[in-house]
Amino acid sequence: MAQQETDEQTINDSFVVDTEDCEERERAHRERGTSRPITVVGNPVLHRECKDVTEFDEELAQLIDDMFASQRTAEGVGLAANQIGVDLKVFVYDCMDDEGVRHVGHVVNPVLQELPADQRVLDESNEGCLSVPTAYAELARPDYAVVHGQDSQGNPIKVRGTGYFARCLQHETDHLYGFLYIDKLSKRDRKDALRQMAEGTPRYPVVPND
């Protein structure tokens, strides 16, 4: 996947470069952050649209650091703010694409770009979610995605992904609008995913639902 620009910030119609210095950037976020437990399906914060971020301050920067720390603890490839109980439109990611290229970054106030019908090539692959621990199900999603949003300073950015990384971008954006991947499944497959979750044991700390 070709990248444009050498700066991590995007300018005009270019895309974020999120493939450089991945290890160093992820480690810096994680070491500044504090890992938090993961909210699971049934928690109200996961089932409603999150609030827009309007303050691009130290509190937001700390949230992003905490999200990277939480993502690493849970061994995830993406994490939305409401998955640690925070009602704000922010997600982070540390995800490989189908070519084995690592992408690390964050998006504030993400909006998924609608693809024209002739550009929608569906990939039906297994999908899981930290908020539905131990459960997996096949779900068809476009194999290319573009997300518009802002960075932690409020600058406009665009992120694009293919394959597994495209799935990650769509999955995390969905979270911030109140949708989990199991909401897109058939009733039968959703029931099966919830059964898998009930029978499994999360490998990371979670917040029990009252």
Side-chain angles (χ1 to χ4, degrees), residues 68-128:
F68 271 105
S70 305
Q71 176 177 252
R72 174 56 70 97
T73 297
E75 300 178 7
V77 299
L79 186 74
N82 54 355
Q83 291 185 274
I84 57 169
V86 178
D87 185 14
L88 288 174
K89 285 181 181 168
V90 187
F91 73 76
V92 302
Y93 58 88
D94 182 358
C95 186
M96 306 284 274
D97 61 27
D98 286 359
E99 286 71 48
V101 177
R102 184 180 180 184
H103 301 259
V104 171
H106 67 273
V107 185
V108 179
N109 298 328
V111 177
L112 186 66
Q113 179 175 310
E114 289 292 329
L115 294 177
D118 61 351
Q119 294 182 24
R120 291 172 59 88
V121 178
L122 294 181
D123 169 37
E124 188 159 347
S125 297
N126 251 13
E127 191 161 329

Short mmCIF file of all heavy atoms in Angstrom, two decimals, residues 68-128:
data_model
loop_
_atom_site.label_atom_id
_atom_site.label_comp_id
_atom_site.label_asym_id
_atom_site.label_seq_id
_atom_site.Cartn_x
_atom_site.Cartn_y
_atom_site.Cartn_z
N PHE A 68 -3.37 2.90 24.44
CA PHE A 68 -2.29 2.05 23.91
C PHE A 68 -1.83 1.04 24.96
O PHE A 68 -1.57 -0.12 24.64
CB PHE A 68 -1.12 2.91 23.44
CG PHE A 68 -1.22 3.35 22.01
CD1 PHE A 68 -1.56 4.66 21.69
CD2 PHE A 68 -0.98 2.46 20.97
CE1 PHE A 68 -1.66 5.06 20.36
CE2 PHE A 68 -1.07 2.86 19.64
CZ PHE A 68 -1.41 4.16 19.34
N ALA A 69 -1.75 1.48 26.22
CA ALA A 69 -1.35 0.56 27.29
C ALA A 69 -2.39 -0.55 27.46
O ALA A 69 -2.05 -1.73 27.62
CB ALA A 69 -1.17 1.33 28.60
N SER A 70 -3.67 -0.17 27.41
CA SER A 70 -4.75 -1.14 27.57
C SER A 70 -4.79 -2.11 26.39
O SER A 70 -5.01 -3.33 26.58
CB SER A 70 -6.10 -0.41 27.68
OG SER A 70 -6.08 0.54 28.72
N GLN A 71 -4.57 -1.59 25.19
CA GLN A 71 -4.56 -2.43 24.00
C GLN A 71 -3.46 -3.48 24.09
O GLN A 71 -3.67 -4.65 23.75
CB GLN A 71 -4.35 -1.54 22.77
CG GLN A 71 -4.21 -2.29 21.46
CD GLN A 71 -4.08 -1.34 20.29
OE1 GLN A 71 -5.01 -1.19 19.50
NE2 GLN A 71 -2.95 -0.67 20.16
N ARG A 72 -2.27 -3.07 24.56
CA ARG A 72 -1.17 -4.02 24.67
C ARG A 72 -1.47 -5.10 25.72
O ARG A 72 -1.21 -6.28 25.50
CB ARG A 72 0.12 -3.28 25.01
CG ARG A 72 1.32 -4.19 25.30
CD ARG A 72 1.61 -5.14 24.15
NE ARG A 72 2.14 -4.46 22.98
CZ ARG A 72 3.44 -4.37 22.70
NH1 ARG A 72 4.34 -4.90 23.52
NH2 ARG A 72 3.83 -3.76 21.59
N THR A 73 -2.02 -4.69 26.87
CA THR A 73 -2.37 -5.67 27.90
C THR A 73 -3.33 -6.72 27.37
O THR A 73 -3.20 -7.91 27.65
CB THR A 73 -3.01 -4.96 29.12
OG1 THR A 73 -2.06 -4.06 29.68
CG2 THR A 73 -3.44 -5.96 30.17
N ALA A 74 -4.30 -6.27 26.58
CA ALA A 74 -5.32 -7.16 26.05
C ALA A 74 -4.89 -7.87 24.77
O ALA A 74 -5.64 -8.69 24.24
CB ALA A 74 -6.61 -6.39 25.79
N GLU A 75 -3.69 -7.54 24.28
CA GLU A 75 -3.15 -8.13 23.05
C GLU A 75 -4.08 -7.90 21.87
O GLU A 75 -4.34 -8.78 21.05
CB GLU A 75 -2.89 -9.63 23.24
CG GLU A 75 -1.88 -9.93 24.35
CD GLU A 75 -1.66 -11.42 24.57
OE1 GLU A 75 -2.18 -12.23 23.77
OE2 GLU A 75 -0.96 -11.76 25.53
N GLY A 76 -4.62 -6.67 21.79
CA GLY A 76 -5.51 -6.32 20.70
C GLY A 76 -4.79 -5.60 19.58
O GLY A 76 -3.63 -5.20 19.73
N VAL A 77 -5.49 -5.40 18.46
CA VAL A 77 -4.94 -4.67 17.32
C VAL A 77 -5.62 -3.32 17.14
O VAL A 77 -5.21 -2.50 16.32
CB VAL A 77 -5.04 -5.49 16.02
CG1 VAL A 77 -4.25 -6.77 16.12
CG2 VAL A 77 -6.50 -5.79 15.66
N GLY A 78 -6.68 -3.08 17.91
CA GLY A 78 -7.39 -1.80 17.88
C GLY A 78 -8.21 -1.67 19.14
O GLY A 78 -8.62 -2.67 19.73
N LEU A 79 -8.44 -0.43 19.56
CA LEU A 79 -9.21 -0.20 20.78
C LEU A 79 -9.91 1.14 20.69
O LEU A 79 -9.29 2.15 20.39
CB LEU A 79 -8.30 -0.23 22.01
CG LEU A 79 -9.01 -0.14 23.36
CD1 LEU A 79 -9.69 -1.47 23.68
CD2 LEU A 79 -8.04 0.23 24.47
N ALA A 80 -11.22 1.12 20.95
CA ALA A 80 -12.01 2.36 20.99
C ALA A 80 -12.14 2.82 22.44
O ALA A 80 -12.12 2.02 23.37
CB ALA A 80 -13.40 2.11 20.38
N ALA A 81 -12.33 4.14 22.62
CA ALA A 81 -12.36 4.71 23.97
C ALA A 81 -13.46 4.11 24.83
O ALA A 81 -13.28 3.90 26.03
CB ALA A 81 -12.51 6.23 23.89
N ASN A 82 -14.62 3.83 24.23
CA ASN A 82 -15.71 3.28 25.04
C ASN A 82 -15.42 1.86 25.51
O ASN A 82 -16.08 1.35 26.43
CB ASN A 82 -17.06 3.37 24.33
CG ASN A 82 -17.07 2.76 22.95
OD1 ASN A 82 -16.05 2.33 22.43
ND2 ASN A 82 -18.24 2.75 22.34
N GLN A 83 -14.40 1.23 24.93
CA GLN A 83 -14.02 -0.11 25.39
C GLN A 83 -13.25 -0.05 26.71
O GLN A 83 -13.02 -1.09 27.34
CB GLN A 83 -13.19 -0.83 24.34
CG GLN A 83 -14.01 -1.21 23.10
CD GLN A 83 -13.20 -2.02 22.13
OE1 GLN A 83 -12.49 -1.48 21.29
NE2 GLN A 83 -13.27 -3.34 22.27
N ILE A 84 -12.84 1.15 27.13
CA ILE A 84 -12.32 1.31 28.49
C ILE A 84 -13.22 2.27 29.27
O ILE A 84 -12.80 2.92 30.21
CB ILE A 84 -10.85 1.76 28.52
CG1 ILE A 84 -10.62 3.07 27.75
CG2 ILE A 84 -9.94 0.66 28.01
CD1 ILE A 84 -9.23 3.68 27.97
N GLY A 85 -14.48 2.37 28.81
CA GLY A 85 -15.49 3.10 29.56
C GLY A 85 -15.53 4.59 29.35
O GLY A 85 -16.22 5.30 30.09
N VAL A 86 -14.82 5.10 28.35
CA VAL A 86 -14.76 6.55 28.11
C VAL A 86 -15.66 6.91 26.94
O VAL A 86 -15.49 6.40 25.82
CB VAL A 86 -13.32 7.00 27.84
CG1 VAL A 86 -13.28 8.50 27.55
CG2 VAL A 86 -12.43 6.68 29.05
N ASP A 87 -16.59 7.81 27.17
CA ASP A 87 -17.61 8.18 26.19
C ASP A 87 -17.10 9.29 25.27
O ASP A 87 -17.62 10.41 25.27
CB ASP A 87 -18.87 8.62 26.93
CG ASP A 87 -20.04 8.90 26.00
OD1 ASP A 87 -19.98 8.51 24.83
OD2 ASP A 87 -21.02 9.53 26.46
N LEU A 88 -16.07 8.98 24.48
CA LEU A 88 -15.49 9.93 23.53
C LEU A 88 -15.11 9.21 22.23
O LEU A 88 -14.71 8.04 22.27
CB LEU A 88 -14.25 10.61 24.11
CG LEU A 88 -14.45 11.64 25.22
CD1 LEU A 88 -13.10 12.08 25.77
CD2 LEU A 88 -15.26 12.84 24.73
N LYS A 89 -15.19 9.93 21.12
CA LYS A 89 -14.87 9.34 19.82
C LYS A 89 -13.35 9.37 19.57
O LYS A 89 -12.81 10.30 18.97
CB LYS A 89 -15.61 10.08 18.70
CG LYS A 89 -17.09 9.75 18.64
CD LYS A 89 -17.78 10.49 17.50
CE LYS A 89 -19.27 10.17 17.49
NZ LYS A 89 -20.03 11.08 16.61
N VAL A 90 -12.70 8.32 20.06
CA VAL A 90 -11.27 8.14 19.86
C VAL A 90 -11.00 6.65 19.70
O VAL A 90 -11.57 5.84 20.44
CB VAL A 90 -10.44 8.63 21.08
CG1 VAL A 90 -8.94 8.58 20.76
CG2 VAL A 90 -10.85 10.01 21.52
N PHE A 91 -10.14 6.29 18.75
CA PHE A 91 -9.63 4.92 18.75
C PHE A 91 -8.14 4.92 18.43
O PHE A 91 -7.61 5.86 17.84
CB PHE A 91 -10.42 3.98 17.83
CG PHE A 91 -10.22 4.15 16.34
CD1 PHE A 91 -9.08 3.67 15.70
CD2 PHE A 91 -11.21 4.73 15.56
CE1 PHE A 91 -8.91 3.78 14.32
CE2 PHE A 91 -11.06 4.85 14.18
CZ PHE A 91 -9.90 4.37 13.56
N VAL A 92 -7.48 3.86 18.89
CA VAL A 92 -6.06 3.64 18.59
C VAL A 92 -5.94 2.30 17.87
O VAL A 92 -6.84 1.45 17.93
CB VAL A 92 -5.20 3.64 19.87
CG1 VAL A 92 -5.36 4.95 20.62
CG2 VAL A 92 -5.52 2.46 20.78
N TYR A 93 -4.82 2.12 17.20
CA TYR A 93 -4.61 0.85 16.49
C TYR A 93 -3.12 0.52 16.42
O TYR A 93 -2.26 1.39 16.43
CB TYR A 93 -5.20 0.89 15.08
CG TYR A 93 -4.66 1.99 14.19
CD1 TYR A 93 -3.52 1.79 13.41
CD2 TYR A 93 -5.28 3.23 14.10
CE1 TYR A 93 -3.02 2.80 12.58
CE2 TYR A 93 -4.80 4.23 13.29
CZ TYR A 93 -3.66 4.01 12.53
OH TYR A 93 -3.17 5.01 11.72
N ASP A 94 -2.85 -0.78 16.40
CA ASP A 94 -1.52 -1.33 16.18
C ASP A 94 -1.76 -2.62 15.42
O ASP A 94 -1.93 -3.69 16.00
CB ASP A 94 -0.81 -1.58 17.51
CG ASP A 94 0.60 -2.12 17.34
OD1 ASP A 94 1.03 -2.34 16.18
OD2 ASP A 94 1.28 -2.33 18.37
N CYS A 95 -1.83 -2.52 14.10
CA CYS A 95 -2.42 -3.57 13.29
C CYS A 95 -1.59 -3.83 12.03
O CYS A 95 -1.11 -2.89 11.38
CB CYS A 95 -3.84 -3.16 12.88
SG CYS A 95 -4.76 -4.43 12.01
N MET A 96 -1.45 -5.08 11.69
CA MET A 96 -0.79 -5.48 10.45
C MET A 96 -1.82 -5.55 9.33
O MET A 96 -2.97 -5.94 9.56
CB MET A 96 -0.14 -6.86 10.61
CG MET A 96 0.80 -6.97 11.78
SD MET A 96 2.40 -6.19 11.48
CE MET A 96 3.25 -7.53 10.68
N ASP A 97 -1.39 -5.18 8.12
CA ASP A 97 -2.27 -5.39 6.98
C ASP A 97 -1.96 -6.75 6.35
O ASP A 97 -1.11 -7.51 6.85
CB ASP A 97 -2.17 -4.24 5.97
CG ASP A 97 -0.78 -4.08 5.37
OD1 ASP A 97 -0.02 -5.07 5.31
OD2 ASP A 97 -0.45 -2.94 4.96
N ASP A 98 -2.64 -7.08 5.27
CA ASP A 98 -2.47 -8.40 4.66
C ASP A 98 -1.10 -8.60 4.02
O ASP A 98 -0.71 -9.72 3.71
CB ASP A 98 -3.56 -8.65 3.61
CG ASP A 98 -4.92 -8.94 4.23
OD1 ASP A 98 -5.00 -8.96 5.48
OD2 ASP A 98 -5.88 -9.14 3.48
N GLU A 99 -0.36 -7.51 3.83
CA GLU A 99 0.99 -7.60 3.28
C GLU A 99 2.04 -7.70 4.39
O GLU A 99 3.24 -7.70 4.11
CB GLU A 99 1.30 -6.39 2.40
CG GLU A 99 0.61 -6.39 1.04
CD GLU A 99 -0.89 -6.14 1.16
OE1 GLU A 99 -1.29 -5.18 1.85
OE2 GLU A 99 -1.65 -6.92 0.55
N GLY A 100 1.59 -7.75 5.64
CA GLY A 100 2.51 -7.86 6.76
C GLY A 100 3.12 -6.54 7.18
O GLY A 100 4.12 -6.52 7.91
N VAL A 101 2.53 -5.42 6.75
CA VAL A 101 3.03 -4.10 7.13
C VAL A 101 2.30 -3.63 8.38
O VAL A 101 1.07 -3.67 8.45
CB VAL A 101 2.82 -3.08 5.98
CG1 VAL A 101 3.27 -1.68 6.40
CG2 VAL A 101 3.57 -3.53 4.74
N ARG A 102 3.07 -3.18 9.37
CA ARG A 102 2.50 -2.74 10.64
C ARG A 102 2.06 -1.28 10.57
O ARG A 102 2.78 -0.43 10.05
CB ARG A 102 3.53 -2.92 11.75
CG ARG A 102 3.03 -2.59 13.16
CD ARG A 102 4.14 -2.80 14.17
NE ARG A 102 3.69 -2.50 15.53
CZ ARG A 102 4.50 -2.54 16.59
NH1 ARG A 102 5.78 -2.88 16.44
NH2 ARG A 102 4.03 -2.24 17.80
N HIS A 103 0.89 -0.99 11.11
CA HIS A 103 0.33 0.36 11.17
C HIS A 103 0.05 0.71 12.64
O HIS A 103 -0.61 -0.06 13.33
CB HIS A 103 -0.97 0.46 10.38
CG HIS A 103 -0.83 0.11 8.93
ND1 HIS A 103 -0.75 1.07 7.95
CD2 HIS A 103 -0.75 -1.09 8.30
CE1 HIS A 103 -0.63 0.48 6.78
NE2 HIS A 103 -0.63 -0.83 6.96
N VAL A 104 0.54 1.85 13.09
CA VAL A 104 0.31 2.30 14.46
C VAL A 104 -0.18 3.75 14.42
O VAL A 104 0.43 4.60 13.76
CB VAL A 104 1.59 2.22 15.31
CG1 VAL A 104 1.40 2.91 16.66
CG2 VAL A 104 2.00 0.77 15.53
N GLY A 105 -1.28 4.03 15.12
CA GLY A 105 -1.76 5.41 15.14
C GLY A 105 -3.03 5.55 15.96
O GLY A 105 -3.44 4.64 16.68
N HIS A 106 -3.64 6.71 15.84
CA HIS A 106 -4.90 7.00 16.54
C HIS A 106 -5.74 7.90 15.65
O HIS A 106 -5.21 8.60 14.78
CB HIS A 106 -4.64 7.69 17.88
CG HIS A 106 -4.07 9.07 17.75
ND1 HIS A 106 -2.72 9.32 17.65
CD2 HIS A 106 -4.67 10.28 17.69
CE1 HIS A 106 -2.51 10.62 17.53
NE2 HIS A 106 -3.69 11.24 17.56
N VAL A 107 -7.05 7.89 15.86
CA VAL A 107 -7.97 8.76 15.14
C VAL A 107 -8.98 9.31 16.14
O VAL A 107 -9.57 8.55 16.92
CB VAL A 107 -8.70 8.05 14.00
CG1 VAL A 107 -9.55 9.04 13.20
CG2 VAL A 107 -7.74 7.32 13.07
N VAL A 108 -9.17 10.61 16.11
CA VAL A 108 -10.16 11.29 16.94
C VAL A 108 -11.32 11.72 16.04
O VAL A 108 -11.11 12.18 14.92
CB VAL A 108 -9.52 12.52 17.63
CG1 VAL A 108 -10.56 13.25 18.48
CG2 VAL A 108 -8.31 12.11 18.46
N ASN A 109 -12.54 11.54 16.52
CA ASN A 109 -13.75 11.89 15.76
C ASN A 109 -13.76 11.26 14.36
O ASN A 109 -13.94 11.94 13.35
CB ASN A 109 -13.90 13.42 15.65
CG ASN A 109 -14.05 14.08 17.01
OD1 ASN A 109 -14.62 13.52 17.94
ND2 ASN A 109 -13.54 15.31 17.13
N PRO A 110 -13.57 9.94 14.29
CA PRO A 110 -13.49 9.28 12.98
C PRO A 110 -14.82 9.22 12.25
O PRO A 110 -15.88 9.08 12.86
CB PRO A 110 -13.01 7.87 13.34
CG PRO A 110 -13.57 7.64 14.70
CD PRO A 110 -13.47 8.97 15.40
N VAL A 111 -14.73 9.34 10.93
CA VAL A 111 -15.89 9.13 10.06
C VAL A 111 -15.43 8.21 8.93
O VAL A 111 -14.45 8.50 8.25
CB VAL A 111 -16.41 10.46 9.48
CG1 VAL A 111 -17.55 10.20 8.50
CG2 VAL A 111 -16.86 11.40 10.59
N LEU A 112 -16.14 7.12 8.76
CA LEU A 112 -15.81 6.16 7.71
C LEU A 112 -16.32 6.66 6.37
O LEU A 112 -17.48 7.02 6.24
CB LEU A 112 -16.42 4.79 8.03
CG LEU A 112 -16.06 3.63 7.12
CD1 LEU A 112 -14.58 3.29 7.24
CD2 LEU A 112 -16.92 2.42 7.46
N GLN A 113 -15.44 6.72 5.38
CA GLN A 113 -15.81 7.19 4.05
C GLN A 113 -16.60 6.11 3.32
O GLN A 113 -16.20 4.94 3.29
CB GLN A 113 -14.55 7.54 3.25
CG GLN A 113 -14.81 8.01 1.84
CD GLN A 113 -13.52 8.46 1.16
OE1 GLN A 113 -12.74 9.25 1.70
NE2 GLN A 113 -13.28 7.93 -0.03
N GLU A 114 -17.72 6.49 2.75
CA GLU A 114 -18.52 5.55 1.98
C GLU A 114 -17.83 5.24 0.65
O GLU A 114 -17.40 6.15 -0.05
CB GLU A 114 -19.91 6.12 1.71
CG GLU A 114 -20.82 6.17 2.93
CD GLU A 114 -21.22 4.79 3.42
OE1 GLU A 114 -21.33 3.87 2.58
OE2 GLU A 114 -21.41 4.64 4.63
N LEU A 115 -17.74 3.97 0.32
CA LEU A 115 -17.11 3.56 -0.93
C LEU A 115 -18.17 3.40 -2.02
O LEU A 115 -19.26 2.88 -1.75
CB LEU A 115 -16.39 2.22 -0.76
CG LEU A 115 -15.17 2.18 0.17
CD1 LEU A 115 -14.65 0.76 0.25
CD2 LEU A 115 -14.08 3.12 -0.33
N PRO A 116 -17.86 3.83 -3.24
CA PRO A 116 -18.78 3.56 -4.36
C PRO A 116 -18.96 2.05 -4.51
O PRO A 116 -18.07 1.26 -4.19
CB PRO A 116 -18.04 4.15 -5.58
CG PRO A 116 -17.07 5.12 -5.00
CD PRO A 116 -16.67 4.59 -3.67
N ALA A 117 -20.11 1.66 -5.00
CA ALA A 117 -20.43 0.24 -5.12
C ALA A 117 -19.39 -0.53 -5.92
O ALA A 117 -19.05 -1.67 -5.60
CB ALA A 117 -21.82 0.07 -5.74
N ASP A 118 -18.84 0.12 -6.97
CA ASP A 118 -17.87 -0.59 -7.82
C ASP A 118 -16.50 -0.76 -7.15
O ASP A 118 -15.63 -1.45 -7.66
CB ASP A 118 -17.71 0.12 -9.17
CG ASP A 118 -17.19 1.54 -9.04
OD1 ASP A 118 -17.11 2.05 -7.90
OD2 ASP A 118 -16.85 2.14 -10.08
N GLN A 119 -16.31 -0.13 -5.99
CA GLN A 119 -15.06 -0.28 -5.25
C GLN A 119 -15.21 -1.18 -4.03
O GLN A 119 -14.24 -1.41 -3.30
CB GLN A 119 -14.52 1.08 -4.82
CG GLN A 119 -14.10 1.98 -5.97
CD GLN A 119 -13.53 3.30 -5.47
OE1 GLN A 119 -13.05 3.42 -4.35
NE2 GLN A 119 -13.61 4.31 -6.33
N ARG A 120 -16.41 -1.70 -3.81
CA ARG A 120 -16.65 -2.53 -2.63
C ARG A 120 -16.41 -3.99 -2.96
O ARG A 120 -17.23 -4.66 -3.57
CB ARG A 120 -18.08 -2.33 -2.13
CG ARG A 120 -18.34 -0.96 -1.54
CD ARG A 120 -19.81 -0.75 -1.24
NE ARG A 120 -20.34 -1.74 -0.31
CZ ARG A 120 -20.31 -1.60 1.01
NH1 ARG A 120 -19.79 -0.51 1.55
NH2 ARG A 120 -20.82 -2.52 1.79
N VAL A 121 -15.25 -4.47 -2.54
CA VAL A 121 -14.91 -5.89 -2.66
C VAL A 121 -14.96 -6.47 -1.26
O VAL A 121 -14.20 -6.07 -0.38
CB VAL A 121 -13.52 -6.09 -3.28
CG1 VAL A 121 -13.18 -7.58 -3.35
CG2 VAL A 121 -13.45 -5.46 -4.65
N LEU A 122 -15.90 -7.39 -1.02
CA LEU A 122 -16.10 -7.90 0.32
C LEU A 122 -15.11 -9.02 0.65
O LEU A 122 -14.80 -9.87 -0.18
CB LEU A 122 -17.53 -8.41 0.48
CG LEU A 122 -18.64 -7.36 0.40
CD1 LEU A 122 -20.00 -8.01 0.59
CD2 LEU A 122 -18.42 -6.25 1.42
N ASP A 123 -14.64 -8.97 1.89
CA ASP A 123 -13.76 -10.00 2.43
C ASP A 123 -14.48 -10.63 3.60
O ASP A 123 -14.79 -9.95 4.58
CB ASP A 123 -12.43 -9.37 2.88
CG ASP A 123 -11.59 -10.33 3.69
OD1 ASP A 123 -11.59 -11.54 3.36
OD2 ASP A 123 -10.92 -9.88 4.65
N GLU A 124 -14.77 -11.90 3.49
CA GLU A 124 -15.48 -12.60 4.57
C GLU A 124 -14.47 -13.37 5.39
O GLU A 124 -14.03 -14.45 5.01
CB GLU A 124 -16.57 -13.52 4.01
CG GLU A 124 -17.46 -14.10 5.10
CD GLU A 124 -18.80 -14.59 4.56
OE1 GLU A 124 -19.14 -14.26 3.42
OE2 GLU A 124 -19.48 -15.29 5.31
N SER A 125 -14.09 -12.81 6.51
CA SER A 125 -13.09 -13.41 7.38
C SER A 125 -13.58 -13.43 8.82
O SER A 125 -14.55 -12.75 9.17
CB SER A 125 -11.77 -12.63 7.30
OG SER A 125 -11.22 -12.66 6.02
N ASN A 126 -12.88 -14.18 9.64
CA ASN A 126 -13.20 -14.23 11.06
C ASN A 126 -12.93 -12.88 11.71
O ASN A 126 -11.96 -12.20 11.37
CB ASN A 126 -12.34 -15.29 11.75
CG ASN A 126 -13.17 -16.50 12.16
OD1 ASN A 126 -14.30 -16.67 11.72
ND2 ASN A 126 -12.60 -17.36 12.99
N GLU A 127 -13.79 -12.50 12.63
CA GLU A 127 -13.62 -11.25 13.36
C GLU A 127 -13.87 -11.51 14.84
O GLU A 127 -14.72 -12.31 15.21
CB GLU A 127 -14.59 -10.19 12.83
CG GLU A 127 -14.30 -8.78 13.35
CD GLU A 127 -14.94 -7.71 12.47
OE1 GLU A 127 -15.07 -7.93 11.24
OE2 GLU A 127 -15.31 -6.65 13.01
N GLY A 128 -13.10 -10.83 15.67
CA GLY A 128 -13.28 -10.91 17.11
C GLY A 128 -13.28 -9.51 17.69
O GLY A 128 -13.10 -8.52 16.98
#
